[in-house]
Amino acid sequence: MRRSIRQQILVPLVVIQTVALAAITAAGVGLAARRSEQQSVDRLGAVIDVLSRSSFPLTSRVLAQMHGLSGAHFVVKDAEGRTTAASDPEVGDQAVDAASISVLGRPEFRSWRDWPKLSVAGRTYFGAAIPAPASGGAGASTLLVLYPESSWRDALWDFALAPVVLGIVALALMVLASRWFADRISRRVHRLRAQVARIAEGEFSELELGAGHDEIQDLTRSVNQMSAQLRDMRLTIVRSERTHLLAQLAAGFAHQLRNTLTGARLGIQLHLKRCPAAGGDSSLGVALRQLALTEEQVQGLLTLGRLERRPPRACDLGELIRDLESLLEPTFQHARVALESYVPHEPVTAEIDEPSVRAAILNLAWNAIDAAGPGGRVQFHLIDGGEQTIIEVADSGQGPPADLEPALFDPFVTGKPEGVGLGLALARHVAEAHRGELDWSRRDGWTWFRLTLPRTPDLDGKGISE
């Protein structure tokens, strides 16, 4: 049987509060009634004591005054059982024979429940019979004391009414407060449940924490953290799927294209051997350099697709960058972009997969050339960072569009109409494969891409080759 949070909170609280208030009220009423009863019994005992020791005749007028003081009726019976005086004539005429009530002298009962009960004129009384004082030479007589049970019950109710009413009011207030508290908790729990349901449906929005600083707010904060983590995980999965698809397409295309480029390059080299170029004619040399650049691009696509895996080996990064500068020199000249290189003369070595790092730097350089534009500048920086090496490629261009900044390294994201959006994705893939990182920043009017590589990376945990 399903029970809501509100029921689980409200029902036990109401039951506990009801039992506690009932016990407190009953105890209060019992004590008050006991005290009232004791007072009335003591008061009647004092009246009886006065009457039993009186030296004046017990007339109906005297007994009526005693009735006003104690609330009890008094009847005097002579030895023959005739009524000689009574506080109330109607009660005196119908009073029972004194012999039916024990003669105890002065009664020592401490509670009305200890007194005998009898019925007179259809009403119930607590009764006692004591010897009446002799007066005027009269014979022995008996004084009947009759206390109405209804007076005792009325006194009990008078004492119980206020505690009972206060107890009911207090219980109602506690029930309302408990219900408000339970409803408040229930609403917040239902709000969390709805949020979890939205997360299960793929909506990873976050809830406001609210004003209550309690465990539910902590739970809300945890749900928000879970939502943010799931959102990031979904984004990572989407990117991974896109990268995987890109890798398959690019690798298949690059594998076929590399064979074609190799054939073209071998054909040109064979032609140069058979027919050397005339003096000053460098057109075939330029063609070979362009083919080499294209092969570097294809090699990067193959690395992205992981169709070729190679073990890392020690490489002088300064020499690698200088070689790329020589390879890219015609491209810089054609684009009218100035190249500035800050590479140390001493070797800066690191264990890397050289072709993939070469492809990453090459893609960063091409992006920098396009961003700088005619008349712009591009800088290469190689920094020896001890346990890691840092390669920076900076351009003096305007920087990437603001709307592309969050997804700048995602595949197929580009701000160029003719761009494909694979260069930065490939470069980051290479950095991550080397357990390094690639980030970018905008400062002093320049756009900086920083490729950080460990000196001795564990490529993919096992090295490039499998």
Side-chain angles (χ1 to χ4, degrees):
M1 180 179 178
R2 183 179 182 274
R3 297 179 60 198
S4 65
I5 292 292
R6 182 172 64 179
Q7 290 177 333
Q8 295 182 44
I9 296 176
L10 186 60
V11 172
L13 284 178
V14 170
V15 171
I16 293 173
Q17 292 167 359
T18 302
V19 172
L21 281 175
I24 294 172
T25 303
V29 170
L31 290 174
R34 184 79 177 181
R35 188 178 298 109
S36 172
E37 182 180 24
Q38 188 68 53
Q39 291 174 354
S40 62
V41 170
D42 291 344
R43 185 169 56 249
L44 181 58
V47 172
I48 292 173
D49 188 55
V50 170
L51 292 177
S52 63
R53 298 177 182 178
S54 65
S55 58
F56 51 84
L58 298 180
T59 63
S60 295
R61 183 178 178 181
V62 171
L63 296 180
Q65 291 176 347
M66 296 298 105
H67 169 70
L69 293 174
S70 63
H73 290 289
F74 301 93
V75 179
V76 178
K77 295 280 187 177
D78 59 15
E80 286 74 19
R82 295 188 300 269
T83 301
T84 59
S87 59
D88 186 339
E90 182 180 356
V91 175
D93 292 340
Q94 301 186 28
V96 297
D97 187 7
S100 63
I101 304 176
S102 302
V103 178
L104 303 172
R106 184 184 185 282
E108 299 295 337
F109 302 135
R110 308 298 295 175
S111 171
W112 292 123
R113 296 175 181 84
D114 298 331
W115 289 56
K117 284 186 180 182
L118 64 154
S119 179
V120 179
R123 297 180 67 184
T124 302
Y125 292 86
F126 299 108
I130 62 173
S135 61
S141 59
T142 304
L143 176 63
L144 299 180
V145 182
L146 303 173
Y147 188 83
E149 185 183 28
S150 59
S151 297
W152 172 63
R153 296 191 182 279
D154 290 343
L156 285 180
W157 177 246
D158 290 341
F159 276 96
L161 180 60
V164 169
V165 171
L166 289 176
I168 292 175
V169 172
L171 178 62
L173 292 177
M174 287 184 179
V175 169
L176 290 176
S178 299
R179 182 172 181 179
W180 174 84
F181 174 74
D183 288 344
R184 182 171 177 269
I185 295 295
S186 180
R187 285 194 301 270
R188 296 174 71 187
V189 170
H190 288 166
R191 182 166 166 260
L192 280 176
R193 184 183 66 180
Q195 174 66 6
V196 173
R198 287 192 293 270
I199 291 175
E201 293 173 357
E203 181 183 344
F204 302 113
S205 59
E206 297 183 6
L207 286 176
E208 294 184 3
L209 294 179
H213 299 285
D214 52 17
E215 289 80 359
I216 293 185
Q217 186 187 74
D218 295 338
L219 181 59
T220 302
R221 186 179 292 105
S222 298
V223 170
N224 287 341
Q225 291 176 352
M226 179 183 69
S227 178
Q229 291 173 357
L230 289 175
R231 182 173 61 245
D232 295 340
M233 289 176 61
R234 184 176 67 173
L235 181 60
T236 300
I237 291 173
V238 170
R239 289 177 176 175
S240 298
E241 290 177 349
R242 293 176 62 183
T243 302
H244 182 67
L245 178 61
L246 165 67
Q248 290 181 325
L249 294 176
F253 171 74
H255 190 68
Q256 298 297 326
L257 183 59
R258 186 181 62 173
N259 294 335
T260 302
L261 290 173
T262 300
R265 179 170 54 82
L266 291 175
I268 294 176
Q269 290 174 343
L270 181 60
H271 177 75
L272 282 175
K273 287 183 178 180
R274 292 179 178 177
C275 304
D281 186 4
S282 61
S283 57
L284 291 180
V286 172
L288 286 174
R289 295 173 70 88
Q290 292 300 316
L291 285 175
L293 281 174
T294 305
E295 283 187 306
E296 292 286 351
Q297 290 178 300
V298 171
Q299 193 65 49
L301 292 177
L302 287 173
T303 301
L304 182 64
R306 294 190 177 275
L307 290 182
E308 293 188 359
R309 299 176 181 262
R310 294 166 296 274
R313 63 182 183 85
C315 174
D316 183 355
L317 293 177
E319 187 64 29
L320 186 149
I321 292 176
R322 282 188 285 268
D323 184 57
L324 287 176
E325 291 174 5
S326 174
L327 191 63
L328 288 169
E329 183 179 357
T331 304
F332 276 99
Q333 292 176 355
H334 178 74
R336 290 181 295 160
V337 174
L339 173 62
E340 303 170 8
S341 181
Y342 301 91
V343 177
H345 294 291
E346 60 275 7
V348 180
T349 60
E351 293 185 8
I352 60 171
D353 173 32
E354 182 180 351
S356 64
V357 173
R358 174 187 288 267
I361 299 174
L362 195 58
N363 277 281
L364 293 177
W366 276 321
N367 279 349
I369 292 172
D370 291 337
R377 298 158 59 196
V378 171
Q379 293 182 357
F380 285 169
H381 293 260
L382 176 60
I383 303 171
D384 186 352
E387 295 297 324
Q388 58 187 14
T389 56
I390 300 171
I391 301 170
E392 291 182 330
V393 179
D395 66 78
S396 60
Q398 298 298 317
D403 58 331
L404 296 183
E405 291 181 3
L408 192 60
F409 295 102
D410 290 350
F412 307 114
V413 174
T414 179
K416 296 178 290 186
E418 72 282 0
V420 179
L422 296 180
L424 293 179
L426 186 148
R428 167 162 282 190
H429 174 79
V430 171
E432 292 174 350
H434 284 77
R435 296 293 186 264
E437 60 181 13
L438 174 66
D439 55 13
W440 75 282
S441 62
R442 180 78 184 169
R443 62 180 187 270
D444 300 330
W446 287 69
T447 303
W448 296 78
F449 285 87
R450 169 177 286 219
L451 176 63
T452 304
L453 301 174
R455 288 280 191 174
T456 56
D458 180 15
L459 301 181
D460 285 345
K462 296 180 291 183
I464 288 290
S465 62
E466 292 186 345

